[in-house]
Amino acid sequence: MLQDDIKTTVKMALTEDLGGVLDPKFDVTSQLIDEDECDEAIIITRESGIFCGKEWVEEVYRQLGGDTEITWFVADGDAIEPGTQLFKVKGKARILLTAERTTLNFVQTLSGTATLVSQYVKAMEGTSCRLLDTRKTLPCLRTALKYAVVCGGGHNHRIGLFDMFLIKENHIMASGGIANAVERARKLRPDLKVEVEVENLDELHQALDAKADIIMLDNFEYNMMIEAVKITNKQAKLEISGNVNIDTIGKFAATGVDFISVGALTKNVRALDLSMRIVKK
């Protein structure tokens, strides 16, 4: 999915910038530059963080055409500091300038996400708990943001609605209870893992009796988390969701749960500050 999505989202971004067509001649400002003018551009970061987005950059230049040469100084997942040169591009000046904003938009968004994830991962150091993302992603950037999560040291939860059962409150109500929902899931797709969201300890017992693979503790208080770990006693994997932030995640991770999912990783995206500079040859 990721490779197909890179091609699709890059095309969408470029045509959005070029009036609905994939033709750099529709960049009217770049047409002010001589067609044969060749230059070099250096892309740097003004902030520290984790780099992510190499394949999106390469796809932008591939789709714009022209003879361009990209030299990389970093790889996805690398730590970067202010002033770090990320990569340089040589080629037609028109193409470099047409590509500028699209490449920066992808890299700043994905690097910003990877950076935030790395901060959460650091706050969980010393525990065996894994940090998970969620489906709370920017539209059409699901796989891209989940890739950035991995670059930042986190792990992916389900990619979408197709690869795992996540039985939440409304599913439970519509199915007639936790036991019914889990039983139907096992019959429908026995090859997929089944996760059940619970809101109290009584529902936790129901999910355990139904033999759910993973149980999500939704908005549990800290003392309830401790109790849930004791009750579960490794019968199922436990995931914490809700009321999690950079200040609380370390404490929650130390309770003995297996996973903590954080929607803010991919929905409260803050871009990393990047810049492109043209260097005359």
Side-chain angles (χ1 to χ4, degrees):
M1 284 182 65
L2 180 62
Q3 295 305 316
D4 289 341
D5 285 351
I6 291 172
K7 295 176 183 177
T8 300
T9 53
V10 165
K11 182 177 180 180
M12 289 171 60
L14 288 171
T15 55
E16 179 181 60
D17 231 6
L18 294 167
V21 295
L22 188 53
D23 187 343
K25 291 181 180 178
F26 281 77
D27 176 0
V28 295
T29 311
S30 290
Q31 297 306 300
L32 302 175
I33 301 167
D34 290 342
E35 184 176 3
D36 295 329
E37 174 71 19
C38 289
D39 288 312
E40 180 177 291
I42 301 291
I43 291 77
I44 67 168
T45 177
R46 295 194 178 101
E47 293 183 89
S48 59
I50 303 296
F51 176 77
C52 182
K54 179 179 178 179
E55 289 192 63
W56 285 262
V57 173
E58 293 177 344
E59 184 63 24
V60 168
Y61 285 103
R62 186 177 299 116
Q63 292 195 21
L64 285 175
D67 185 16
T68 54
E69 177 187 343
I70 305 175
T71 302
W72 289 98
F73 305 118
V74 295
D76 288 344
D78 283 355
I80 53 179
E81 298 295 334
T84 299
Q85 292 188 4
L86 306 178
F87 60 97
K88 68 179 180 180
V89 187
K90 293 181 180 180
K92 294 291 183 67
R94 287 185 180 183
I95 296 297
L96 301 187
L97 292 169
T98 298
E100 176 181 4
R101 179 41 52 195
T102 301
T103 56
L104 292 183
N105 283 349
F106 278 116
V107 174
Q108 70 187 16
T109 300
L110 299 182
S111 296
T113 299
T115 299
L116 179 61
V117 170
S118 71
Q119 294 167 355
Y120 272 80
V121 170
K122 184 176 181 179
M124 298 167 65
E125 284 182 351
T127 75
S128 60
C129 186
R130 290 186 173 189
L131 176 66
L132 301 179
D133 53 24
T134 72
R135 286 173 50 244
K136 296 177 181 177
T137 54
L138 299 179
C140 300
L141 286 178
R142 171 72 54 78
T143 56
L145 291 170
K146 283 182 171 284
Y147 174 76
V149 167
V150 174
C151 287
H155 300 267
N156 295 148
H157 204 280
R158 57 179 180 161
I159 301 300
L161 297 171
F162 60 91
D163 56 337
M164 175 180 158
F165 287 101
L166 179 46
I167 302 170
K168 307 187 80 172
E169 179 183 12
N170 287 331
H171 300 103
I172 293 168
M173 291 291 291
S175 300
I178 290 175
N180 284 343
V182 173
E183 182 180 2
R184 291 176 182 177
R186 297 294 190 198
K187 289 180 179 178
L188 180 64
R189 288 292 303 273
D191 57 312
L192 297 182
K193 288 189 177 298
V194 177
E195 179 169 3
V196 177
E197 177 188 80
V198 301
E199 298 182 347
N200 51 58
L201 295 177
D202 178 60
E203 290 183 351
L204 171 64
H205 282 288
Q206 293 179 50
L208 287 170
D209 290 342
K211 300 190 182 305
D213 299 302
I214 307 169
I215 301 173
M216 178 188 292
L217 310 178
D218 183 42
N219 288 303
F220 270 39
E221 298 293 335
Y222 176 72
N223 289 337
M224 287 178 63
M225 295 176 194
I226 298 292
E227 186 65 19
V229 172
K230 292 180 181 178
I231 292 170
T232 302
N233 192 29
K234 306 295 184 181
Q235 297 176 73
K237 299 290 186 181
L238 289 181
E239 174 186 338
I240 289 173
S241 179
N243 295 321
V244 181
N245 56 50
I246 196 71
D247 297 316
T248 61
I249 195 168
K251 180 179 179 180
F252 292 171
T255 61
V257 297
D258 301 282
F259 311 110
I260 298 180
S261 56
V262 182
L265 301 177
T266 53
K267 73 182 180 74
N268 299 342
V269 176
R270 177 188 173 278
L272 212 64
D273 189 9
L274 309 177
S275 175
M276 186 181 97
R277 299 172 181 172
I278 291 286
V279 180
K280 298 294 291 184
K281 293 180 66 176

